Amino acid sequence: MAFRLGVDVGGTFTDLLLLNPETGEFWRNKTPSTPHDSSEGVLNGVNAICGMAGVDAAEIEVFLHGTTVATNAVLEGKGATVGLVTTEGYRQVMQIARSLVPGGLAAWIVWPKPEPLAKLENTVEIKGRLDAQGREIRPLDEADIRRQLQALKALGVEAITVSLMNAYLNGAHERRVAELAAEILPEVPVSLSHVVLPEMQEYERTLTTVANAAVRPVVGRYVRNLRNRLRDLGMQGRIALLRSDGGLMSSEKSEEHPVSLLMSGPAGGVTGALWVAKNAGLKNILTLDVGGTSTDVALIENGEPRRVRTTDVGHLTVRASSLDVKTVGAGGGSIAKVPELTRALRVGPESAGAMPGPAAYGHGGVQPTVTDANVVLGYLPENLLGGTFKLDRAAAKTAVQTVADALGVDLYEAARGIIDIVNENMFGALRMISVQQGYDPRDFALMGFGGAGPLHVNAVAKLMGSWPAVSPVSPGVLCALGDATTRMRTETARSYSRRKSAASDAEVLATFGDMARQIQGELLADGVAEADISMTYEIDVRYHGQAFEVPMAVSLDGFADDGLTRLAAAFDEEHRRLFTFNMDAEHEFVNLRAVAMGQVQEIPALKIEAGDGDPIAAKLRDHEVWVDGGFRKAVIYDRARLRAGDRIPGPAIVTEMDSTTLVLPDCLALVDAFGTILINPV
């Protein structure tokens, strides 16, 4: 039997889902994350889930992993010391950067400019130059290059970036520098800009390649360590990591191109939500992935997640495709506090994390968190993880009472205030990826997952007007399900930079053909069968004179017959949808992009037993929850005993091994054929 194992490492828990792709049967496990070495938590979980399923590690054919190792290295400033090799005259490229300052009015006064990932003292210039067409106008001076590389060696750099002017058109100079670096610094990994990002705009190309170099040693060590430990367990199958754009890449390639992993963790939830939405018959979905530390939100339209050409991590913005995921510091472990200066309640972004965690976890935490507030209000029953994890309600009350005392309000009002604020934080993030992008959230359902997502999805759906509020089966491990059900993906891009009057359908087709052959070869090398590879294509379009582009999907069928003209018309329509106007300027085609994907993993969804609409068989006990200023009677149900067609009136709580779903008053939850809970207002 060949199994697929999806593993998602979060800030608080590591989630695992072991899947039999032939039958759709699955096993799930949550184990505490081990921030000092994520692979420890992964190995603990692998041993546990294999024991649960009675499966030997050797039977796991594919190990699929979403990781935050690259993200954390950037956020915590723990990337490698990068040496940067630039063209003569461009040593300050990272310091000059772009003039854009994030923030509102007067942000330039209060915004602390981040330290570049490659410091000026670790940056060297070399002689040699290519022109704007990629032709050599000054040859490399190899003696000079050797001197500069020796200087970087003396500085103790741990990774090297080579980013030369116009190298995106011709990588010969960069390749020669890499050969010399291999002689002088043989143990130091080298990242080349024409390989990492073969696009124009030297700052973005340099920044992205430097970011790749900065996280490469950290990711490389983690991936090699994990791979070796999995092999020691007897797992000989393929190991793949989830890319920021929702596809998979081999573990070997991830060591060379880790910049594609910066949003690996959140991408798993989006791909898992796609699988659930397909079975539930939903095409437009807003996702609400609430973990212990943060909340990730994304938008899926017509069954396709929205992708962007940049990846944002903290102050860093790199040119790498990713799912359009926005993250806010609002999770189950987010700490509530009342600052002395303002005397106003705040929640997050600081988190209690896995250790000590919320006060209710009983691991020594004393600060009030969102989880503690949910416990106090009765939304989170004392038994979690199928009864194996018992919450300390008295400790939660003690923690939240500190907020109540600081505000001078009742304990339950303080707890409700914490929940209201964290819901508003989630609401704000969802507006960023819907309303601010030209989408009406009322046209979308809202799917809550992660350990705490289903606790908040009903309330946030009321704020958004997004119905139904959806709670998938096993929401706590949906990211791991996404890891287990996604497919191999790779892409490449080339700068084109032609106005429409100078562009040619035939030239675009020929370039796309070259790009397709390149990335198809990459997937073939990763073991994907040629018959399973599919291709998609994009062109970044703008009006001449604009400083930004809009990526537009193109089909090559019939493209030779006025394809660019049709593309320009489609761009006008999309520009009007996004910005409500068009410009009287010529169209410009900036970048061409080709994406190669492996076969979609078709996994059967298991239907549950049909019922008569009455959930009484799943009732565990009567309960009380604090809503609308007082306690109200509610019922706690066991999700494993619910049947298709069951109708659950609110207020109610549905518990399962890895999550808890809250149904609010004046709402009705319906269980569909696959066990997904759909909540709508009455």
Side-chain angles (χ1 to χ4, degrees), residues 336 358-360 365-369 372-373 375-376 392-406 411-412 414-415 418:
V366 294
Q367 293 181 293
T369 67
D372 296 316
V375 171
V376 167
D392 186 341
R393 192 165 192 219
K397 285 185 173 181
T398 301
V400 175
Q401 187 65 49
T402 62
V403 172
D405 293 343
L411 169 68
Y412 299 102
I418 293 171

Side-chain angles (χ1 to χ4, degrees), residues 66-109:
T67 176
T68 56
V69 170
T71 317
N72 293 341
V74 171
L75 291 175
E76 297 169 12
K78 294 181 179 177
T81 302
V82 180
L84 173 59
V85 180
T86 63
T87 300
E88 189 174 30
Y90 285 84
R91 184 166 173 251
Q92 289 84 9
V93 62
M94 292 289 287
Q95 283 69 33
I96 295 172
R98 294 285 178 203
S99 61
L100 176 67
V101 173
L105 186 65
W108 62 274
I109 299 174

Side-chain angles (χ1 to χ4, degrees), residues 424-508:
E424 286 289 342
N425 290 342
M426 297 173 189
F427 175 44
L430 284 162
R431 283 181 60 86
M432 287 174 64
I433 52 106
S434 59
V435 176
Q436 293 184 25
Q437 301 286 358
Y439 296 97
D440 187 338
R442 293 171 296 185
D443 297 333
F444 293 77
L446 180 66
M447 186 181 297
F449 51 93
L455 266 177
H456 297 268
V457 68
N458 195 167
V460 179
K462 288 181 87 169
L463 293 172
M464 295 289 294
S466 301
W467 301 103
V470 183
S471 172
V473 174
S474 298
V477 295
L478 192 74
C479 288
L481 173 67
D483 296 341
T485 56
T486 192
R487 54 180 170 169
M488 298 294 288
R489 176 185 171 103
T490 188
E491 68 173 54
T492 188
R494 293 191 189 172
S495 287
Y496 185 63
S497 197
R498 305 269 200 288
R499 296 193 201 186
K500 185 174 181 298
S501 57
S504 156
D505 294 340
E507 184 181 29
V508 169

Side-chain angles (χ1 to χ4, degrees), residues 6 80 157 219 233 245 287 360 377 426 428 489 501 534 547 569 585 631 646:
V157 298
V219 172
L233 280 181
D245 58 17
T287 68
L377 296 170
M426 297 173 189
R489 176 185 171 103
S501 57
S534 60
F631 278 101
D646 281 355

Side-chain angles (χ1 to χ4, degrees), residues 95-132:
Q95 283 69 33
I96 295 172
R98 294 285 178 203
S99 61
L100 176 67
V101 173
L105 186 65
W108 62 274
I109 299 174
V110 297
W111 179 61
K113 186 175 180 180
E115 182 73 27
L117 288 176
K119 296 182 178 179
L120 188 60
E121 56 265 35
N122 295 333
T123 304
V124 298
E125 299 177 334
I126 62 169
K127 299 178 172 119
R129 184 67 184 263
L130 303 174
D131 67 12

Side-chain angles (χ1 to χ4, degrees), residues 3-279:
F3 292 86
R4 294 170 70 90
L5 177 61
V7 179
D8 179 74
V9 178
T12 307
F13 286 106
T14 293
D15 303 327
L16 300 96
L17 187 134
L18 182 66
L19 185 67
N20 182 334
E22 295 178 10
T23 65
E25 186 180 14
F26 64 85
W27 297 263
R28 55 194 173 175
N29 181 258
K30 291 177 84 75
T31 187
S33 294
T34 50
H36 64 279
D37 180 0
S38 298
S39 64
E40 278 188 26
V42 172
L43 268 292
N44 292 339
V46 171
N47 284 321
I49 203 166
C50 284
M52 290 167 54
V55 170
D56 191 86
E59 297 179 78
I60 298 173
E61 184 180 53
V62 191
F63 177 94
L64 309 121
H65 182 24
T67 176
T68 56
V69 170
T71 317
N72 293 341
V74 171
L75 291 175
E76 297 169 12
K78 294 181 179 177
T81 302
V82 180
L84 173 59
V85 180
T86 63
T87 300
E88 189 174 30
Y90 285 84
R91 184 166 173 251
Q92 289 84 9
V93 62
M94 292 289 287
Q95 283 69 33
I96 295 172
R98 294 285 178 203
S99 61
L100 176 67
V101 173
L105 186 65
W108 62 274
I109 299 174
V110 297
W111 179 61
K113 186 175 180 180
E115 182 73 27
L117 288 176
K119 296 182 178 179
L120 188 60
E121 56 265 35
N122 295 333
T123 304
V124 298
E125 299 177 334
I126 62 169
K127 299 178 172 119
R129 184 67 184 263
L130 303 174
D131 67 12
Q133 284 70 47
R135 298 184 296 250
E136 183 178 85
I137 54 177
R138 188 194 306 169
L140 291 173
D141 181 338
E142 295 198 2
D144 172 58
I145 295 171
R146 289 179 185 277
R147 283 193 298 272
Q148 302 301 340
L149 291 172
Q150 288 287 357
L152 291 179
K153 183 177 182 179
L155 290 167
V157 298
E158 300 165 319
I160 287 179
T161 290
V162 184
S163 183
L164 305 179
M165 278 299 295
N166 299 320
Y168 67 94
L169 294 165
N170 180 353
H173 281 188
E174 288 193 348
R175 286 192 294 271
R176 182 55 186 153
V177 175
E179 291 169 1
L180 296 173
E183 294 177 20
I184 297 167
L185 299 95
E187 301 300 319
V188 175
V190 180
S191 297
L192 307 180
S193 75
H194 79 277
V195 174
V196 174
L197 185 67
E199 295 182 17
M200 62 191 295
Q201 296 184 317
E202 70 278 3
Y203 172 65
E204 285 74 11
R205 181 162 48 89
T206 303
L207 176 62
T208 302
T209 313
V210 166
N212 189 77
V215 299
R216 193 168 167 181
V218 178
V219 172
R221 281 193 299 272
Y222 172 73
V223 170
R224 286 190 296 274
N225 181 39
L226 178 62
R227 187 166 53 225
N228 291 338
R229 297 178 76 170
L230 290 173
R231 298 297 185 227
D232 290 343
L233 280 181
M235 188 185 300
Q236 299 304 315
R238 181 162 54 88
I239 299 172
L241 279 80
L242 193 67
R243 295 162 49 104
S244 303
D245 58 17
L248 290 170
M249 65 196 305
S250 67
S251 63
E252 291 79 10
K253 189 169 183 184
S254 72
E255 294 180 55
E256 300 174 7
H257 209 277
V259 75
S260 295
L261 301 177
L262 285 174
M263 293 297 284
S264 170
V270 180
T271 53
L274 279 168
W275 188 80
V276 173
K278 179 182 176 184
N279 295 324

Side-chain angles (χ1 to χ4, degrees), residues 624-645:
E624 283 191 334
V625 294
W626 200 91
V627 289
D628 301 329
F631 278 101
R632 288 185 56 172
K633 290 183 179 180
V635 178
I636 299 178
Y637 296 94
D638 179 0
R639 188 162 191 170
R641 287 154 51 186
L642 289 172
R643 295 170 297 177

